[in-house]
Amino acid sequence: MYFAALLARTEDGWEASDTELDDVETLADLADLAREASADDDTVLVLIEQEDAWFGVVRVDGEDDPRIYVSDAAAAARSSYGEILLTDELLGREPGDDGPDLDSLDLDGTEDGEPASAEDDEEPSSAETITHSPLGDGEILDDLGVSAKELRTLDAEDALSAIADALGASEVLETVR
């Protein structure tokens, strides 16, 4: 089960709205959704959590590129919403580098059960190389009162509530929960 909410900073504080991510396919789509929630190009936070497994924060400040933090990259990689946040840039790989294509595979007959030589050892896939550790901009909320150290120590179960509390937005977040 997922929960996603937008927190938009206004002159009067934070405004929260829950959001459906069903039509969001890319980080650009998510950033556009966040920008629509702000009338004055103020800061908008997209908060996403999956049943105590992981949480993510996307920060959009006006037309700047979105900043991303994911609490557990490997857990997020197994999630359709997490995959939106785990961009090639965040994972440190070249755009479009999703693994080997058919042209690069060595189809020499060993796929039919013939023993492969030691030099045919495959490299781990990108999914196997993603660790169960935080990934992204740990300082994403520093200026809002949540340090990188505090962010890393948050438990996925109550992270969004703790973040909202630090922002002074816990009441507005609870109204959309």
Side-chain angles (χ1 to χ4, degrees):
M1 175 124 174
Y2 292 93
F3 172 74
L6 297 174
L7 282 179
R9 187 169 25 180
T10 68
E11 291 178 5
D12 302 324
W14 292 93
E15 290 182 4
S17 58
D18 62 344
T19 186
E20 287 295 322
L21 299 178
D22 293 340
D23 295 331
V24 175
E25 295 180 7
T26 65
L27 181 60
D29 293 343
L30 188 60
D32 289 343
L33 183 68
R35 288 183 183 105
E36 290 171 9
S38 175
D40 299 325
D41 288 341
D42 285 328
T43 299
V44 178
L45 301 176
V46 181
L47 305 174
I48 302 171
E49 71 180 2
Q50 180 191 6
E51 279 188 37
D52 308 332
W54 66 274
F55 71 92
V57 179
V58 177
R59 179 176 178 160
V60 178
D61 293 301
E63 292 300 318
D64 292 348
D65 288 340
R67 296 167 56 193
I68 305 163
Y69 176 83
V70 177
S71 67
D72 183 331
R78 293 186 302 270
S79 157
S80 58
Y81 296 135
E83 287 179 345
I84 294 169
L85 306 182
L86 298 175
T87 62
D88 288 335
E89 181 181 345
L90 193 64
L91 293 171
R93 62 183 181 204
E94 293 297 318
D97 184 19
D98 295 332
D101 61 11
L102 288 178
D103 293 335
S104 68
L105 294 177
D106 183 18
L107 301 177
D108 62 357
T110 57
E111 70 276 4
D112 292 329
E114 295 177 24
S117 68
E119 37 190 77
D120 289 342
D121 290 342
E122 295 180 25
E123 292 182 26
S125 72
S126 60
E128 294 170 350
T129 60
I130 299 174
T131 64
H132 283 281
S133 60
L135 190 61
D137 185 353
E139 298 174 352
I140 191 170
L141 301 174
D142 269 2
D143 64 326
L144 300 175
V146 181
S147 71
K149 182 179 178 181
E150 291 170 314
L151 193 58
R152 281 191 309 273
T153 61
L154 291 176
D155 183 24
E157 182 177 342
D158 59 337
L160 299 191
S161 296
I163 291 169
D165 189 43
L167 299 175
S170 50
E171 285 183 28
V172 294
L173 182 64
E174 286 306 313
T175 61
V176 297
R177 245 191 213 274

